[in-house]
Amino acid sequence: GAKEFVFPRSEKYPVFYHEENSSAIYIGGEAKLYYYDFATYENYTEDFPVKNEGQCMMPGSSDDSKNYLTLVEKYGEGMLVCGTGACAPTCWNLTQRKESTPWDGRGIAPFTPDSNTLVVVDGHDIYSTIKKSQQNGKIPRFRRVRGGGELYTSDTVMQNPQFVKATTLRHEEPHQDKIYYFFREDNPDKSPEAPRNISRVAQLCKEDKGGTSSLSASKWTTFLKASLICVDPVTKGNFNWLQDVFFVPASNWRYSKVYGLFTNTWGSSAVCVYSFEDIDNVFRTSRLKGYNGPNPEIKPGQCVSSGQHTPSETFKIADSHPEVEDRVEPFSPTKSPLFHNKHRYQKIGVHEVSASDGHRYNVLYLATDKGSIHKIVELPDGVQNIMELQVFSKKDPIQSMILDHKRAMLYVGSTDKVVEIPMDMCRVYRNNCESCLLARDPYCGWFNGTCQSVYLNREVRQNLNLDSWRGKCQKADIKEVDDYQNISVVPFSRYYLNCPIESHYATYNWYHNNSLIKTCNTTHPQQDCFHFIQNVSHIHYGHYVCISEEDGFKQALVKERLINRLRFMSQKGHATMTFGSWLQLLLMVVLVELFH
């Protein structure tokens, strides 16, 4: 069910925008904006050439003279498109494919392509970590560049930050609305045993009006930061390198969650889940690190009533002590990672699916550093890795992964293409009842002889809770595929036997003439169970079968009979075999031997 759109040319720094519940995607490239609709196949390209080349402070890169689009977002009634503009950052408003007059995009687009940038468009407000001037030095700031007056963070509150993601959160009272952003920064503790980086969450009040003095008038006055903890309590393994976050909103902001994806120095990954209620509590109730003085009436980080300014006394304390003592721990009751494993994940997405039992299950999509995506489901008895999708055949890095929750689609982008993948890929279970149920895939269930999507049929049988799956399928000890497939193989050649892996919880065994010759370990997700014959000889011919076994259920997935091609040919033409034919056959054997 996957579809792909290949770009007219490879793009070095692509950016992607997809509107929820649509079938189209926008891709920003070098001086071009591509549009593609996966449902109607409509596509077009808009050109955004360099108009007024700027003066690069550090010239020398070929990227300096090009306009790389760095932002494509919904803005008002149309689209906001911004690019580097050859060191002259420029933005355009795009309405029904009509470009507005270009306008100064400094602070919204960088001067040259930069990975450490964050832009949040929230209605008509725009927040950004992009510097407005090339002379601004190397101290990044979090800014409000559009809406309610420009503000930026003090230069001392973050140490070499690497920005990950930001979101806004609506409260019951508008003046309490918050901005939260997640980042890594250098650890002030330089002792050898201390981690080099600390993962953080920062808060700001959306209605912050800046300070009352001339020095603080353009500064955020409600900034506070806290540490995010992701530690396995059993092994004491610390996952301190925040890679990505995914926000799962709720109608009540307190129940909104953030899924944090962390890695450690050994290349393992962990997912820790935090609630915004816990984050809010830490900022509201914790003492400030290093501050022992009395608390002013308006506490640091507290949002004040609309139109009011934070008192200068409060701002001075927060500005010199921006970190709170308490750390944000994962969601109760365990306060530990949801899971951790040996894979190096780079991106995370979370989709909630309503199963046939009426319960809702969270499915995590995790992009690896090898161009694949692991599909992991949260179940009552823990998480289960149900599938690995190799999205790009050349293991191209995944540049972007966007989830469409309403249409249950994944949009995965590389530098060459974007792929639309349905989340309910029930065909992979080969219309086999046991495979369909044992996968414990909340999108799929068994009904009327086929493995079907819950979106098409709510009556399907599933196996998601702790009940036994036995009895939900017709009882059968071993389910055979069709009879053996005859494969003729030349002696002395190489041959691969290939068995598809459908479940990461099954054992896969290859048998040759009823003797076990290979067992596949599926603890590390892999696509297939291979058995390689380096040099085919008479002992290798015969019957091969690959059998998977899980929870007492066995099935034969592949059955092959290897036969000697030379003997097969001689038997086939035995009655009419002439002296010339024998010479040809002898010559073939000699050539094969020489070639080998």
Side-chain angles (χ1 to χ4, degrees):
K3 299 175 182 176
E4 66 175 37
F5 167 59
V6 180
F7 310 152
R9 66 178 185 208
S10 185
E11 292 293 347
K12 197 172 177 183
Y13 307 106
V15 291
F16 302 83
Y17 173 75
H18 167 77
E19 189 173 356
E20 178 79 7
N21 205 23
S22 81
S23 54
I25 193 154
Y26 292 86
I27 304 103
E30 183 202 322
K32 290 185 185 298
L33 176 70
Y34 306 113
Y35 170 90
Y36 185 77
D37 191 317
F38 285 93
T40 65
Y41 306 109
E42 179 195 355
N43 68 90
Y44 59 80
T45 303
E46 295 283 339
D47 290 315
F48 291 87
V50 174
K51 292 279 169 63
N52 302 304
E53 196 168 321
Q55 188 65 45
C56 289
M57 292 294 291
M58 297 179 69
S61 166
S62 61
D63 294 337
D64 293 349
S65 60
K66 294 169 181 172
N67 178 30
Y68 287 103
L69 299 188
T70 58
L71 181 71
V72 181
E73 277 285 346
K74 187 94 174 142
Y75 192 64
E77 294 302 305
M79 302 291 293
L80 175 63
V81 178
C82 299
T84 58
C87 291
T90 309
C91 289
W92 297 261
N93 293 96
L94 196 64
T95 311
Q96 294 176 338
R97 293 186 62 181
K98 288 190 175 68
E99 282 173 42
S100 69
T101 309
W103 47 275
D104 185 351
R106 283 179 298 175
I108 304 176
F111 291 85
T112 54
D114 180 4
S115 59
N116 187 26
T117 58
L118 201 58
V119 179
V120 181
V121 178
D122 182 49
H124 284 278
D125 298 345
I126 301 177
Y127 306 94
S128 163
T129 62
I130 297 167
K131 57 186 183 181
K132 293 194 73 175
S133 162
Q134 292 185 83
Q135 288 97 335
N136 267 6
K138 291 191 174 177
I139 299 174
R141 297 160 165 173
F142 187 90
R143 303 173 177 277
R144 179 168 66 202
V145 288
R146 280 283 174 108
E150 192 166 317
L151 295 177
Y152 58 86
T153 48
S154 296
D155 290 348
T156 54
V157 296
M158 297 181 288
Q159 307 304 314
N160 187 27
Q162 302 293 307
F163 299 103
V164 176
K165 224 169 243 178
T167 188
T168 55
L169 211 60
R170 302 271 185 273
H171 285 236
E172 291 85 358
E173 298 167 306
H175 78 272
Q176 296 283 3
D177 290 353
K178 294 273 177 64
I179 302 159
Y180 292 101
Y181 68 89
F182 294 78
F183 64 103
R184 301 186 304 270
E185 68 172 341
D186 293 349
N187 191 347
D189 181 355
K190 302 299 180 190
S191 57
E193 65 276 5
R196 199 159 50 90
N197 274 84
I198 295 184
S199 297
R200 303 278 199 198
V201 55
Q203 71 127 51
L204 298 159
C205 297
K206 267 201 85 177
E207 291 200 4
D208 196 322
K209 293 280 184 267
T212 51
S213 72
S214 57
L215 287 173
S216 64
S218 295
K219 289 185 179 178
W220 292 101
T221 58
T222 52
F223 176 92
L224 286 178
K225 66 181 179 183
S227 294
L228 290 169
I229 297 301
C230 189
V231 177
D232 177 30
V234 179
T235 63
K236 300 291 185 280
N238 183 13
F239 297 86
N240 58 294
W241 192 273
L242 184 65
Q243 286 280 0
D244 192 19
V245 298
F246 192 86
F247 305 113
V248 179
S251 52
N252 182 336
W253 67 267
R254 291 173 183 81
Y255 303 133
S256 296
K257 292 191 181 73
V258 55
Y259 281 68
L261 170 62
F262 296 81
T263 54
N264 62 16
T265 44
W266 295 280
S268 294
S269 300
V271 172
C272 280
V273 188
Y274 308 91
S275 83
F276 275 107
E277 183 173 32
D278 289 347
I279 293 171
D280 182 68
N281 274 337
V282 164
F283 284 127
R284 274 192 308 104
T285 62
S286 175
R287 294 177 59 84
L288 298 181
K289 203 168 189 177
Y291 178 70
N292 299 313
N295 263 335
E297 188 182 346
I298 302 291
K299 289 176 63 182
Q302 186 178 331
C303 300
V304 294
S305 302
S306 295
Q308 302 290 309
H309 288 265
T310 301
S312 60
E313 181 195 2
T314 303
F315 169 64
K316 281 176 187 169
I317 296 168
D319 202 39
S320 53
H321 301 88
E323 185 184 348
V324 296
E325 258 181 20
D326 294 350
R327 303 183 299 178
V328 180
E329 294 183 315
F331 195 52
S332 296
T334 59
K335 295 189 181 295
S336 61
L338 182 64
F339 74 93
H340 58 87
N341 64 26
K342 294 283 195 293
H343 296 282
R344 186 179 278 282
Y345 295 124
Q346 295 178 324
K347 296 184 190 307
I348 184 171
V350 183
H351 181 240
E352 189 181 67
V353 57
S354 176
S356 62
D357 61 7
H359 291 105
R360 305 181 81 80
Y361 295 89
N362 282 332
V363 180
L364 280 62
Y365 293 89
L366 292 144
T368 71
D369 56 351
K370 295 181 174 64
S372 65
I373 291 173
H374 290 178
K375 184 175 171 181
I376 293 175
V377 61
E378 285 183 61
L379 292 166
D381 52 334
V383 300
Q384 181 159 319
N385 190 339
I386 54 175
M387 195 180 293
E388 179 177 40
L389 306 166
Q390 189 62 53
V391 185
F392 303 120
S393 54
K394 295 177 184 171
K395 297 189 176 178
D396 294 342
I398 291 172
Q399 303 284 337
S400 171
M401 183 174 70
I402 302 170
L403 279 68
D404 188 316
H405 297 274
K406 288 183 179 165
R407 294 179 63 246
M409 289 286 184
L410 271 180
Y411 292 89
V412 187
S414 72
T415 53
D416 295 303
K417 65 175 79 166
V418 62
V419 182
E420 181 193 66
I421 305 168
M423 295 178 184
D424 55 339
M425 293 174 291
C426 305
R427 284 185 194 168
V428 298
Y429 305 119
R430 301 184 315 122
N431 279 339
N432 178 304
C433 179
E434 284 82 1
S435 293
C436 187
L437 293 186
L438 283 168
R440 301 182 82 188
D441 185 334
Y443 297 96
C444 303
W446 189 254
F447 186 82
N448 206 16
T450 59
C451 193
Q452 298 181 14
S453 165
V454 288
Y455 294 121
L456 301 175
N457 184 354
R458 302 294 302 169
E459 303 299 313
V460 293
R461 278 175 288 164
Q462 292 184 298
N463 171 43
L464 301 173
N465 51 30
L466 294 170
D467 298 341
S468 172
W469 63 275
R470 296 172 188 281
K472 292 184 180 179
C473 294
Q474 297 293 315
K475 281 195 166 70
D477 181 41
I478 184 159
K479 184 161 182 157
E480 300 287 355
V481 290
D482 294 337
D483 206 5
Y484 286 91
Q485 183 183 1
N486 284 337
I487 310 285
S488 59
V489 183
V490 176
F492 316 120
S493 62
R494 299 175 172 191
Y495 189 71
Y496 277 100
L497 289 147
N498 179 14
C499 185
I501 285 179
E502 296 176 349
S503 166
H504 298 308
Y505 298 88
T507 304
Y508 291 80
N509 292 319
W510 271 109
Y511 293 88
H512 177 219
N513 296 337
N514 296 324
S515 296
L516 178 65
I517 54 168
K518 172 77 179 275
T519 297
C520 281
N521 173 10
T522 57
T523 51
H524 292 296
Q526 52 194 332
Q527 297 286 95
D528 303 286
C529 176
F530 287 114
H531 176 59
F532 177 50
I533 303 172
Q534 175 80 29
N535 186 359
V536 175
S537 69
H538 68 280
I539 61 168
H540 295 112
Y541 293 110
H543 296 82
Y544 289 86
V545 60
C546 173
I547 292 176
S548 73
E549 184 171 356
E550 181 177 357
D551 201 14
F553 165 70
K554 291 181 182 178
Q555 61 177 332
L557 298 175
V558 179
K559 295 170 83 173
E560 292 185 5
R561 178 176 168 238
L562 296 198
I563 54 178
N564 185 329
R565 182 180 290 178
L566 300 184
R567 185 175 294 172
F568 178 65
M569 285 168 60
S570 68
Q571 287 171 351
K572 203 172 175 186
H574 185 70
T576 56
M577 189 69 78
T578 63
F579 180 68
S581 304
W582 278 109
L583 274 177
Q584 282 182 327
L585 192 59
L586 191 62
L587 184 62
M588 188 188 289
V589 172
V590 170
L591 284 171
V592 166
E593 188 67 47
L594 282 170
F595 179 72
H596 176 68

